[in-house]
Amino acid sequence: FLLTMKIYAKALALCSLYSAANAFMVQPSKVASLSAVKASSYSYGSSGEEDLTKKSTSNPIDASSSYVSYSTPQGSTSSISKSSGITGAQQSPLSSQSKLMKTRNTKEIFEELPTITVQGGSLRTCSFEQTVDRVSVYLKTEGRPLNANVELWQGPDNSPQKMSVYLEDGSLRPFRATVESPGSSNSIAIRNTGQMEFPLTAGLEADMSGEEGPADLLFTSDDYGTIQGGAVYTTPFPPSVQSVQVSLKSDGRPLNARIELLQGPNNNKQVIEVYTEDGYQRPFYMVIDTPGSGNVVRIVNTATVEFPLSAAIVPYLVEDTLPDKTTPGGLVW
């Protein structure tokens, strides 16, 4: 009995020493803390109003952990050529030592991507191989409004994911979203629903890394909440936030939602209506550019009460110092 007690006491002493050693370990420093831009106030819609039950707000996602630029398979840091499985798409290199993706401005991505022009009323499709895990879709104009439908096709007459996109200014606020593409026989269809006078520019970027997508990475931070069917959730962002990440997910049931960027009362700058056949297998992820001040992101769960969804909204690009653009009288357009 005494021998057993001695062994037990030594084990407890070793556990205490191990805990003390962990307590004094130096933790890696964060690049940019976003605690200052954490949403502190909320406003709500007129129907189906309810709080977004946040699981945790004490540890917001770091700006350096944004998963945006896509990598080559592990062990390779070279760029993938056009033969990567998707027509006219490129992937940027990523160090295999870190899973944290480099944050990139949407306009910078357009400078690197091969693009095509989709005339008003026309349809362009792009098919790709089964090895492609997900595809990022980029749309912009030369400053005119943008109206388009973006769909994921999988086999004949099957569209597991659809998006209806409206942009007031396709140059100032281009569209940027990631479409998960599990399985085979996938293709992206982009239809310009505007008039002939309003062409748009489209670009695609493929990800064949085999790693988690940006939507899944956002939901690992515990900084998300639930929006019940028919509910409305809005959150403002300060002028220092230049872009915002939005991710929607369900437990496997269909997902129907509307995402809006407002700048001023009922002034929609960007509206996206999303449908996903399986919100768990194909979560929705997008980056919304939010230049200027007074930006508010509003999410409406357009499904019935039986179909709740989980939403994560966090800043993506944050500028500590903003240029002085004040005018006499404080006029802001």
Side-chain angles (χ1 to χ4, degrees), residues 178-193:
T178 300
V179 179
E180 298 288 337
S181 57
S184 59
S185 302
N186 291 297
S187 60
I188 294 293
I190 300 175
R191 183 184 296 275
N192 187 346
T193 59

Side-chain angles (χ1 to χ4, degrees), residues 14-27:
L14 290 175
C15 293
S16 301
L17 290 174
Y18 183 76
S19 301
N22 288 337
F24 285 96
M25 289 180 65
V26 178
Q27 300 296 329

Side-chain angles (χ1 to χ4, degrees), residues 279-290:
Y280 183 81
Q281 189 179 24
R282 297 181 180 87
F284 177 75
Y285 172 85
M286 71 175 302
V287 176
I288 303 176
D289 289 341
T290 57

Side-chain angles (χ1 to χ4, degrees), residues 61-141:
I61 293 180
D62 196 296
S64 63
S65 65
S66 303
Y67 187 104
V68 180
S69 59
Y70 296 100
S71 66
T72 63
Q74 292 183 354
S76 172
T77 58
S78 61
S79 299
I80 294 180
S81 64
K82 292 184 179 180
S83 61
S84 60
I86 181 170
T87 304
Q90 293 179 344
Q91 292 176 314
S92 58
L94 173 70
S95 173
S96 60
Q97 299 178 356
S98 175
K99 290 185 179 181
L100 298 182
M101 312 305 290
K102 178 183 176 181
T103 58
R104 294 187 297 168
N105 188 292
T106 307
K107 296 181 179 179
E108 296 175 355
I109 298 176
F110 264 110
E111 295 177 356
E112 304 172 1
L113 279 180
T115 59
I116 61 171
T117 300
V118 183
Q119 299 294 336
S122 62
L123 170 68
R124 297 297 298 269
T125 62
C126 179
S127 59
F128 43 90
E129 299 175 355
Q130 185 176 353
T131 55
V132 176
D133 300 319
R134 61 194 59 87
V135 176
S136 294
V137 181
Y138 303 91
L139 304 177
K140 72 171 184 177
T141 65

Side-chain angles (χ1 to χ4, degrees), residues 180-229:
E180 298 288 337
S181 57
S184 59
S185 302
N186 291 297
S187 60
I188 294 293
I190 300 175
R191 183 184 296 275
N192 187 346
T193 59
Q195 301 296 324
M196 185 179 297
E197 296 81 7
F198 301 98
L200 64 85
T201 302
L204 298 179
E205 189 176 31
D207 175 22
M208 300 188 301
S209 63
E211 301 177 352
E212 288 186 324
D216 294 327
L217 291 179
L218 277 186
F219 284 106
T220 59
S221 68
D222 291 336
D223 191 14
Y224 64 92
T226 301
I227 303 178
Q228 299 295 335

